[in-house]
PDB file of all heavy atoms in Angstrom:
ATOM      1  N   TRP A  78       4.717  15.296   3.552  1.00 97.00           N
ATOM      2  CA  TRP A  78       3.935  16.362   4.181  1.00 97.00           C
ATOM      3  C   TRP A  78       2.453  16.212   3.851  1.00 97.00           C
ATOM      4  O   TRP A  78       1.596  16.393   4.710  1.00 97.00           O
ATOM      5  CB  TRP A  78       4.458  17.738   3.763  1.00 97.00           C
ATOM      6  CG  TRP A  78       5.885  17.891   4.184  1.00 97.00           C
ATOM      7  CD1 TRP A  78       6.340  18.184   5.435  1.00 97.00           C
ATOM      8  CD2 TRP A  78       7.040  17.697   3.369  1.00 97.00           C
ATOM      9  NE1 TRP A  78       7.723  18.187   5.446  1.00 97.00           N
ATOM     10  CE2 TRP A  78       8.181  17.900   4.189  1.00 97.00           C
ATOM     11  CE3 TRP A  78       7.243  17.379   2.024  1.00 97.00           C
ATOM     12  CZ2 TRP A  78       9.476  17.806   3.717  1.00 97.00           C
ATOM     13  CZ3 TRP A  78       8.536  17.280   1.550  1.00 97.00           C
ATOM     14  CH2 TRP A  78       9.635  17.488   2.397  1.00 97.00           C
ATOM     15  N   SER A  79       2.147  15.879   2.611  1.00 97.00           N
ATOM     16  CA  SER A  79       0.755  15.643   2.226  1.00 97.00           C
ATOM     17  C   SER A  79       0.221  14.449   3.001  1.00 97.00           C
ATOM     18  O   SER A  79      -0.890  14.487   3.554  1.00 97.00           O
ATOM     19  CB  SER A  79       0.655  15.396   0.714  1.00 97.00           C
ATOM     20  OG  SER A  79      -0.680  15.103   0.358  1.00 97.00           O
ATOM     21  N   HIS A  80       1.011  13.368   3.062  1.00 96.00           N
ATOM     22  CA  HIS A  80       0.602  12.176   3.820  1.00 96.00           C
ATOM     23  C   HIS A  80       0.320  12.520   5.288  1.00 96.00           C
ATOM     24  O   HIS A  80      -0.666  12.059   5.854  1.00 96.00           O
ATOM     25  CB  HIS A  80       1.697  11.108   3.775  1.00 96.00           C
ATOM     26  CG  HIS A  80       1.757  10.313   2.509  1.00 96.00           C
ATOM     27  ND1 HIS A  80       0.785  10.323   1.550  1.00 96.00           N
ATOM     28  CD2 HIS A  80       2.686   9.434   2.077  1.00 96.00           C
ATOM     29  CE1 HIS A  80       1.112   9.493   0.570  1.00 96.00           C
ATOM     30  NE2 HIS A  80       2.273   8.943   0.864  1.00 96.00           N
ATOM     31  N   LYS A  81       1.197  13.314   5.887  1.00 97.00           N
ATOM     32  CA  LYS A  81       1.042  13.656   7.307  1.00 97.00           C
ATOM     33  C   LYS A  81      -0.264  14.420   7.537  1.00 97.00           C
ATOM     34  O   LYS A  81      -1.045  14.088   8.432  1.00 97.00           O
ATOM     35  CB  LYS A  81       2.240  14.463   7.804  1.00 97.00           C
ATOM     36  CG  LYS A  81       2.196  14.719   9.316  1.00 97.00           C
ATOM     37  CD  LYS A  81       3.516  15.266   9.802  1.00 97.00           C
ATOM     38  CE  LYS A  81       3.558  15.442  11.298  1.00 97.00           C
ATOM     39  NZ  LYS A  81       3.496  14.189  12.048  1.00 97.00           N
ATOM     40  N   ALA A  82      -0.509  15.420   6.714  1.00 96.00           N
ATOM     41  CA  ALA A  82      -1.723  16.231   6.861  1.00 96.00           C
ATOM     42  C   ALA A  82      -2.971  15.387   6.622  1.00 96.00           C
ATOM     43  O   ALA A  82      -3.961  15.489   7.352  1.00 96.00           O
ATOM     44  CB  ALA A  82      -1.686  17.410   5.885  1.00 96.00           C
ATOM     45  N   TRP A  83      -2.923  14.537   5.596  1.00 94.00           N
ATOM     46  CA  TRP A  83      -4.074  13.695   5.246  1.00 94.00           C
ATOM     47  C   TRP A  83      -4.339  12.667   6.345  1.00 94.00           C
ATOM     48  O   TRP A  83      -5.477  12.458   6.742  1.00 94.00           O
ATOM     49  CB  TRP A  83      -3.796  13.021   3.899  1.00 94.00           C
ATOM     50  CG  TRP A  83      -4.966  12.399   3.230  1.00 94.00           C
ATOM     51  CD1 TRP A  83      -6.176  12.981   2.974  1.00 94.00           C
ATOM     52  CD2 TRP A  83      -5.042  11.078   2.698  1.00 94.00           C
ATOM     53  NE1 TRP A  83      -6.987  12.092   2.309  1.00 94.00           N
ATOM     54  CE2 TRP A  83      -6.315  10.919   2.121  1.00 94.00           C
ATOM     55  CE3 TRP A  83      -4.137  10.015   2.650  1.00 94.00           C
ATOM     56  CZ2 TRP A  83      -6.719   9.747   1.505  1.00 94.00           C
ATOM     57  CZ3 TRP A  83      -4.545   8.858   2.015  1.00 94.00           C
ATOM     58  CH2 TRP A  83      -5.819   8.720   1.455  1.00 94.00           C
ATOM     59  N   LYS A  84      -3.278  12.032   6.842  1.00 95.00           N
ATOM     60  CA  LYS A  84      -3.432  11.036   7.916  1.00 95.00           C
ATOM     61  C   LYS A  84      -4.041  11.681   9.151  1.00 95.00           C
ATOM     62  O   LYS A  84      -4.953  11.122   9.768  1.00 95.00           O
ATOM     63  CB  LYS A  84      -2.083  10.387   8.251  1.00 95.00           C
ATOM     64  CG  LYS A  84      -2.195   9.353   9.358  1.00 95.00           C
ATOM     65  CD  LYS A  84      -0.884   8.637   9.651  1.00 95.00           C
ATOM     66  CE  LYS A  84      -1.097   7.693  10.829  1.00 95.00           C
ATOM     67  NZ  LYS A  84      -0.070   6.722  11.008  1.00 95.00           N
ATOM     68  N   GLU A  85      -3.542  12.862   9.531  1.00 96.00           N
ATOM     69  CA  GLU A  85      -4.082  13.556  10.703  1.00 96.00           C
ATOM     70  C   GLU A  85      -5.529  13.974  10.484  1.00 96.00           C
ATOM     71  O   GLU A  85      -6.374  13.817  11.361  1.00 96.00           O
ATOM     72  CB  GLU A  85      -3.209  14.778  11.042  1.00 96.00           C
ATOM     73  CG  GLU A  85      -1.880  14.372  11.650  1.00 96.00           C
ATOM     74  CD  GLU A  85      -0.924  15.545  11.853  1.00 96.00           C
ATOM     75  OE1 GLU A  85      -1.271  16.710  11.533  1.00 96.00           O
ATOM     76  OE2 GLU A  85       0.208  15.274  12.328  1.00 96.00           O
ATOM     77  N   ASN A  86      -5.827  14.472   9.283  1.00 95.00           N
ATOM     78  CA  ASN A  86      -7.177  14.927   8.964  1.00 95.00           C
ATOM     79  C   ASN A  86      -8.185  13.787   9.045  1.00 95.00           C
ATOM     80  O   ASN A  86      -9.286  13.959   9.564  1.00 95.00           O
ATOM     81  CB  ASN A  86      -7.181  15.572   7.566  1.00 95.00           C
ATOM     82  CG  ASN A  86      -8.538  16.108   7.181  1.00 95.00           C
ATOM     83  OD1 ASN A  86      -9.360  15.383   6.632  1.00 95.00           O
ATOM     84  ND2 ASN A  86      -8.769  17.378   7.471  1.00 95.00           N
ATOM     85  N   LEU A  87      -7.799  12.615   8.535  1.00 93.00           N
ATOM     86  CA  LEU A  87      -8.705  11.460   8.512  1.00 93.00           C
ATOM     87  C   LEU A  87      -8.589  10.591   9.765  1.00 93.00           C
ATOM     88  O   LEU A  87      -9.343   9.645   9.918  1.00 93.00           O
ATOM     89  CB  LEU A  87      -8.420  10.584   7.283  1.00 93.00           C
ATOM     90  CG  LEU A  87      -8.726  11.185   5.925  1.00 93.00           C
ATOM     91  CD1 LEU A  87      -8.330  10.211   4.828  1.00 93.00           C
ATOM     92  CD2 LEU A  87     -10.191  11.559   5.796  1.00 93.00           C
ATOM     93  N   LYS A  88      -7.586  10.903  10.620  1.00 94.00           N
ATOM     94  CA  LYS A  88      -7.306  10.082  11.808  1.00 94.00           C
ATOM     95  C   LYS A  88      -7.008   8.623  11.421  1.00 94.00           C
ATOM     96  O   LYS A  88      -7.500   7.684  12.033  1.00 94.00           O
ATOM     97  CB  LYS A  88      -8.459  10.157  12.813  1.00 94.00           C
ATOM     98  CG  LYS A  88      -8.657  11.568  13.358  1.00 94.00           C
ATOM     99  CD  LYS A  88      -9.828  11.643  14.298  1.00 94.00           C
ATOM    100  CE  LYS A  88     -10.016  12.979  14.953  1.00 94.00           C
ATOM    101  NZ  LYS A  88      -9.918  14.163  14.133  1.00 94.00           N
ATOM    102  N   LEU A  89      -6.195   8.458  10.381  1.00 94.00           N
ATOM    103  CA  LEU A  89      -5.820   7.116   9.915  1.00 94.00           C
ATOM    104  C   LEU A  89      -4.875   6.474  10.925  1.00 94.00           C
ATOM    105  O   LEU A  89      -4.060   7.155  11.546  1.00 94.00           O
ATOM    106  CB  LEU A  89      -5.140   7.190   8.543  1.00 94.00           C
ATOM    107  CG  LEU A  89      -5.990   7.753   7.407  1.00 94.00           C
ATOM    108  CD1 LEU A  89      -5.157   7.853   6.127  1.00 94.00           C
ATOM    109  CD2 LEU A  89      -7.225   6.897   7.177  1.00 94.00           C
ATOM    110  N   LYS A  90      -4.972   5.151  11.051  1.00 93.00           N
ATOM    111  CA  LYS A  90      -4.145   4.421  12.019  1.00 93.00           C
ATOM    112  C   LYS A  90      -2.971   3.692  11.357  1.00 93.00           C
ATOM    113  O   LYS A  90      -2.067   3.243  12.032  1.00 93.00           O
ATOM    114  CB  LYS A  90      -5.013   3.416  12.782  1.00 93.00           C
ATOM    115  CG  LYS A  90      -6.122   4.076  13.594  1.00 93.00           C
ATOM    116  CD  LYS A  90      -6.969   3.015  14.290  1.00 93.00           C
ATOM    117  CE  LYS A  90      -8.228   3.607  14.863  1.00 93.00           C
ATOM    118  NZ  LYS A  90      -9.379   3.416  14.017  1.00 93.00           N
ATOM    119  N   HIS A  91      -3.019   3.512  10.053  1.00 95.00           N
ATOM    120  CA  HIS A  91      -1.916   2.839   9.353  1.00 95.00           C
ATOM    121  C   HIS A  91      -0.993   3.891   8.738  1.00 95.00           C
ATOM    122  O   HIS A  91      -1.364   5.054   8.595  1.00 95.00           O
ATOM    123  CB  HIS A  91      -2.456   1.871   8.290  1.00 95.00           C
ATOM    124  CG  HIS A  91      -3.269   2.545   7.223  1.00 95.00           C
ATOM    125  ND1 HIS A  91      -4.539   3.040   7.457  1.00 95.00           N
ATOM    126  CD2 HIS A  91      -2.984   2.821   5.931  1.00 95.00           C
ATOM    127  CE1 HIS A  91      -5.005   3.581   6.346  1.00 95.00           C
ATOM    128  NE2 HIS A  91      -4.078   3.473   5.410  1.00 95.00           N
ATOM    129  N   ASN A  92       0.218   3.467   8.411  1.00 96.00           N
ATOM    130  CA  ASN A  92       1.211   4.394   7.877  1.00 96.00           C
ATOM    131  C   ASN A  92       1.081   4.540   6.368  1.00 96.00           C
ATOM    132  O   ASN A  92       0.701   3.605   5.663  1.00 96.00           O
ATOM    133  CB  ASN A  92       2.620   3.947   8.244  1.00 96.00           C
ATOM    134  CG  ASN A  92       2.933   4.236   9.696  1.00 96.00           C
ATOM    135  OD1 ASN A  92       2.337   5.108  10.312  1.00 96.00           O
ATOM    136  ND2 ASN A  92       3.874   3.499  10.259  1.00 96.00           N
ATOM    137  N   LEU A  93       1.442   5.731   5.913  1.00 97.00           N
ATOM    138  CA  LEU A  93       1.423   6.069   4.490  1.00 97.00           C
ATOM    139  C   LEU A  93       2.857   6.293   4.042  1.00 97.00           C
ATOM    140  O   LEU A  93       3.599   7.037   4.692  1.00 97.00           O
ATOM    141  CB  LEU A  93       0.594   7.338   4.268  1.00 97.00           C
ATOM    142  CG  LEU A  93      -0.825   7.305   4.814  1.00 97.00           C
ATOM    143  CD1 LEU A  93      -1.494   8.674   4.653  1.00 97.00           C
ATOM    144  CD2 LEU A  93      -1.649   6.216   4.146  1.00 97.00           C
ATOM    145  N   LEU A  94       3.239   5.645   2.953  1.00 98.00           N
ATOM    146  CA  LEU A  94       4.607   5.738   2.449  1.00 98.00           C
ATOM    147  C   LEU A  94       4.649   6.626   1.209  1.00 98.00           C
ATOM    148  O   LEU A  94       3.789   6.519   0.333  1.00 98.00           O
ATOM    149  CB  LEU A  94       5.146   4.345   2.124  1.00 98.00           C
ATOM    150  CG  LEU A  94       5.087   3.322   3.259  1.00 98.00           C
ATOM    151  CD1 LEU A  94       5.673   1.997   2.802  1.00 98.00           C
ATOM    152  CD2 LEU A  94       5.795   3.837   4.502  1.00 98.00           C
ATOM    153  N   SER A  95       5.658   7.476   1.161  1.00 98.00           N
ATOM    154  CA  SER A  95       5.806   8.418   0.057  1.00 98.00           C
ATOM    155  C   SER A  95       6.778   7.886  -0.997  1.00 98.00           C
ATOM    156  O   SER A  95       7.968   7.733  -0.743  1.00 98.00           O
ATOM    157  CB  SER A  95       6.324   9.758   0.588  1.00 98.00           C
ATOM    158  OG  SER A  95       6.600  10.619  -0.500  1.00 98.00           O
ATOM    159  N   ASP A  96       6.234   7.626  -2.175  1.00 98.00           N
ATOM    160  CA  ASP A  96       7.042   7.192  -3.327  1.00 98.00           C
ATOM    161  C   ASP A  96       7.203   8.383  -4.270  1.00 98.00           C
ATOM    162  O   ASP A  96       6.914   8.309  -5.455  1.00 98.00           O
ATOM    163  CB  ASP A  96       6.351   6.009  -4.021  1.00 98.00           C
ATOM    164  CG  ASP A  96       7.191   5.390  -5.130  1.00 98.00           C
ATOM    165  OD1 ASP A  96       8.416   5.609  -5.160  1.00 98.00           O
ATOM    166  OD2 ASP A  96       6.603   4.682  -5.972  1.00 98.00           O
TER     167      ASP A  96
END
Side-chain angles (χ1 to χ4, degrees):
W78 300 281
S79 177
H80 281 348
K81 186 169 184 66
W83 194 51
K84 180 177 177 165
E85 287 173 0
N86 182 272
L87 293 178
K88 297 178 176 45
L89 298 176
K90 298 178 192 98
H91 61 288
N92 285 336
L93 305 174
L94 305 181
S95 174
D96 187 19

